[in-house]
Amino acid sequence: MSLLGPAEIRDLADALDLQPTKKLGQNFVVDGNTVRKIVRTASVSEGEHVVEVGPGLGSLTLGLLEADARVTAIEIDKRLAEQLPHTVEAMQPGAPLQVISADALRVEGVPGEPTALVANLPYNVSVPVLLHLLEVVPSLASALVMVQAEVGHRLAAAPGSRVYGSPSVKAAWYGTWSIAGTISRQVFWPVPNVDSVLVGFRRGELPGTEEERRATFALVDAAFGQRRKMLRQALADALGGSAAASARLEAAGVDPTARGEQLTVGDFLRVARA
């Protein structure tokens, strides 16, 4: 047996005196078929270096290792970080695993240039973790993450969509996103009160420099901080007043009476450059 089932998950949790917490977004996958579905959908190849965030008790970690990937797992809970190598060694002796005991929002890189991110992300920090890792681990060419359905649809949304927002624009800076599947609530312990989806990512060529990214993201935050307002009003504070904002928007070829939800990341970048 190379994967964890419900009984093994409960036994591990009892041994660690672990009660999953909402604070850390801990909902553990207890179904091996779901784990294999995630790995299969991620198209993990033999020998590929995969980074996983929030491995928890190791359900997905073991699935990735079963597919002959090399895994670097980042875990904020020290008890889980210390236990994971023992679990893997007991179930898949010699499997190539590295564990980083840290907050994924604070890491400044991942050794070994991983090319894929595959994770059941903690729901409470899923978007910040994604954006941070895409920024600090430029070797990541693809990702498949399980997130709250509402968050997943925001990440994959196109301009003009009802759920298009700041996360949609910022995520698009790094590449393309799409919904890759749905996950039943019943495969988790504890069972969450929200639905989950798989979101796929493919990195594209970055549209601008790091300085331009920061400037663009600042405009995105301003636009969606007052998303019901026209851009000339929403960006007034950031650009020195309504008149200055209108002039900047017109110089970038953007209608000052438009709203942030109508603009692509390229549109915001043009405003930052104008």
Side-chain angles (χ1 to χ4, degrees):
M1 182 173 174
S2 60
L3 299 182
L4 295 172
E8 290 76 25
I9 291 283
R10 298 295 182 122
D11 288 345
L12 275 171
D14 288 344
L16 293 171
D17 193 23
L18 174 70
Q19 290 295 325
T21 70
K22 287 187 177 181
K23 180 181 178 181
L24 296 179
Q26 291 173 326
N27 295 92
F28 303 125
V29 179
V30 298
D31 179 64
N33 289 330
T34 299
V35 167
R36 290 189 172 109
K37 171 186 176 180
I38 295 169
V39 174
R40 187 169 60 249
T41 304
S43 300
V44 173
S45 58
E46 182 179 351
E48 184 170 15
H49 186 185
V50 177
V51 61
E52 181 189 7
V53 174
L57 293 167
S59 300
L60 181 55
T61 313
L62 288 163
L64 292 165
L65 293 169
E66 183 185 64
D68 294 321
R70 294 187 294 124
V71 177
T72 297
I74 305 173
E75 176 57 61
I76 192 173
D77 189 318
K78 290 185 177 180
R79 291 173 301 168
L80 297 177
E82 291 172 359
Q83 175 60 39
L84 186 58
H86 300 296
T87 302
V88 168
E89 186 60 25
M91 301 190 71
Q92 296 184 33
L97 170 70
Q98 178 183 11
V99 179
I100 299 174
S101 180
D103 182 347
L105 283 169
R106 297 184 181 277
V107 299
E108 293 303 321
V110 177
E113 298 190 336
T115 55
L117 166 66
V118 183
N120 170 23
L121 288 178
Y123 284 173
N124 51 344
V125 292
S126 54
V127 171
V129 164
L130 272 174
L131 295 177
H132 178 68
L133 289 178
L134 289 172
E135 177 188 344
V136 302
V137 190
S139 58
L140 290 175
S142 68
L144 184 79
V145 293
M146 181 157 52
V147 295
Q148 183 177 341
E150 179 183 353
V151 172
H153 287 292
R154 283 187 182 278
L155 286 168
S161 164
R162 182 177 59 84
V163 297
Y164 185 75
S166 173
S168 320
V169 185
K170 292 178 179 180
W173 178 272
Y174 297 100
T176 57
W177 300 78
S178 60
I179 301 298
T182 58
I183 301 292
S184 168
R185 299 183 187 191
Q186 303 308 314
V187 305
F188 295 97
W189 172 70
V191 177
N193 57 7
V194 294
D195 294 319
S196 301
V197 296
L198 296 174
V199 184
F201 164 77
R202 292 290 170 187
R203 187 181 285 273
E205 184 177 347
L206 294 179
T209 65
E210 175 59 18
E211 182 179 358
E212 288 173 331
R213 182 195 67 78
R214 289 195 296 268
T216 299
F217 282 17
L219 293 178
V220 171
D221 288 337
F224 286 98
Q226 304 181 76
R227 65 179 297 151
R228 293 186 179 182
K229 291 187 176 181
M230 296 178 185
L231 285 169
R232 67 187 179 197
Q233 297 168 299
L235 300 182
D237 287 345
L239 298 179
S242 180
S246 292
R248 176 84 77 92
L249 288 160
E250 288 172 354
V254 175
D255 182 356
T257 65
R259 290 176 172 79
E261 62 201 39
Q262 298 170 259
L263 271 60
T264 66
V265 66
D267 294 330
F268 279 105
L269 175 58
R270 288 204 314 277
V271 177
R273 286 173 168 170

